[in-house]
Amino acid sequence: EPEVTQTPSHQVTQMGQEVILRCVPISNHLYFYWYRQILGQKVEFLVSFYNNEISEKSEIFDDQFSVERPDGSNFTLKIRSTKLEDSAMYFCASSVDSNYGYTFGSGTRLTVV
Amino acid sequence: GNSVTQMEGPVTLSEEAFLTINCTYTATGYPSLFWYVQYPGEGLQLLLKATKADDKGSNKGFEATYRKETTSFHLEKGSVQVSDSAVYFCAFKTGNQFYFGTGTSLTVIP
């Protein structure tokens, strides 16, 4: 069964550093998403991406965050200057269209120290 | 605003016990409702879904019925197995966005 692949599975970074979280969506999917889950809290929507541009974003997705599809297969989330409160599990997801069920990746656990 | 409230865990059951995980939601309109499961070290996997009132989603022995009058989507299974140990997330989708509950951790002991 096709999978959404996320790397790395765990990343530790120092506060103030930039991090890039990587995702390889399912090849024929057109919609891409990032969600995050702070430990013990809800899974929260960050951003959706379609046709090489952001289609929707939440209040969490401020100027510190950016997304990119640098080539035909990767979808990345960049955090420019990490804060302690950015520590969370980040999930990438993709879907064929906006109405069909998502497929989620296994997540990247980001720890900011 | 939009939100999902689900039963807090952790929940520990013996094998073959009956499982209920309660979930209620607050949403505008009539969203599609979902249960996702996360096994240790894996991503969120769709367990079941229901798209309109009174629909029953089912998969792997799990069931949930879309109750519009009570805005609920409780997850049930008649006889749990050790392999059902995971975190279960209730969610709904409106527009292009999912709203998740906090997750309920289930441990099934032999």
Side-chain angles (χ1 to χ4, degrees), chain B:
Chain B
N2 294 320
S3 67
V4 176
T5 302
Q6 67 178 97
M7 189 170 86
E8 291 194 18
V11 174
T12 302
L13 295 174
S14 296
E15 206 166 22
E16 299 183 4
F18 184 85
L19 169 72
T20 300
I21 301 177
N22 290 336
C23 171
T24 57
Y25 65 90
T26 301
T28 52
Y30 303 105
S32 295
L33 305 178
F34 303 80
W35 277 98
Y36 276 83
V37 59
Q38 185 179 27
Y39 298 103
E42 298 185 19
L44 295 169
Q45 299 177 24
L46 178 64
L47 180 61
L48 54 84
K49 68 177 183 181
T51 57
K52 61 182 187 297
D54 300 325
D55 265 4
K56 179 185 283 187
S58 61
N59 185 25
K60 299 182 182 179
F62 291 89
E63 292 183 340
T65 302
Y66 192 143
R67 300 289 187 200
K68 190 178 78 170
E69 64 277 12
T70 55
T71 61
S72 64
F73 193 53
H74 305 320
L75 182 68
E76 296 182 336
K77 185 173 186 180
S79 175
V80 293
Q81 306 300 313
V82 171
S83 57
D84 293 327
S85 298
V87 181
Y88 292 82
F89 293 89
C90 183
F92 70 83
K93 185 170 180 287
T94 181
N96 203 24
Q97 192 176 137
F98 272 91
Y99 294 85
F100 287 88
T102 52
T104 303
S105 174
L106 170 67
T107 301
V108 180
I109 55 177

Side-chain angles (χ1 to χ4, degrees), chain A residues 4 6 35 43 91-94 102-106, chain B residues 36 43-44 98 100:
Chain A
V4 173
Q6 289 187 244
Y35 284 75
V43 177
F91 292 103
C92 174
S94 67
Y102 295 9
T103 299
F104 284 87
S106 56
Chain B
Y36 276 83
L44 295 169
F98 272 91
F100 287 88

Side-chain angles (χ1 to χ4, degrees), chain A residues 16-93:
Chain A
Q17 294 297 304
E18 174 184 286
V19 293
I20 297 176
L21 308 183
R22 302 182 190 281
C23 170
V24 179
I26 293 173
S27 60
N28 65 332
H29 285 188
L30 302 176
Y31 293 78
F32 314 110
Y33 314 87
W34 283 100
Y35 284 75
R36 80 170 185 190
Q37 184 185 26
I38 295 172
L39 188 63
Q41 298 186 25
K42 298 182 180 185
V43 177
E44 301 170 295
F45 170 77
L46 291 179
V47 65
S48 60
F49 190 86
Y50 170 72
N51 201 26
N52 283 320
E53 61 183 23
I54 291 172
S55 50
E56 197 171 345
K57 62 181 181 179
S58 70
E59 292 176 354
I60 303 167
F61 195 87
D62 61 21
D63 292 343
Q64 292 284 80
F65 292 89
S66 62
V67 290
E68 192 179 27
R69 189 153 163 81
D71 52 43
S73 60
N74 290 283
F75 179 53
T76 61
L77 174 69
K78 182 192 291 186
I79 309 175
R80 289 190 182 83
S81 177
T82 50
K83 303 187 285 287
L84 294 176
E85 54 265 38
D86 294 327
S87 295
M89 179 74 86
Y90 288 81
F91 292 103
C92 174

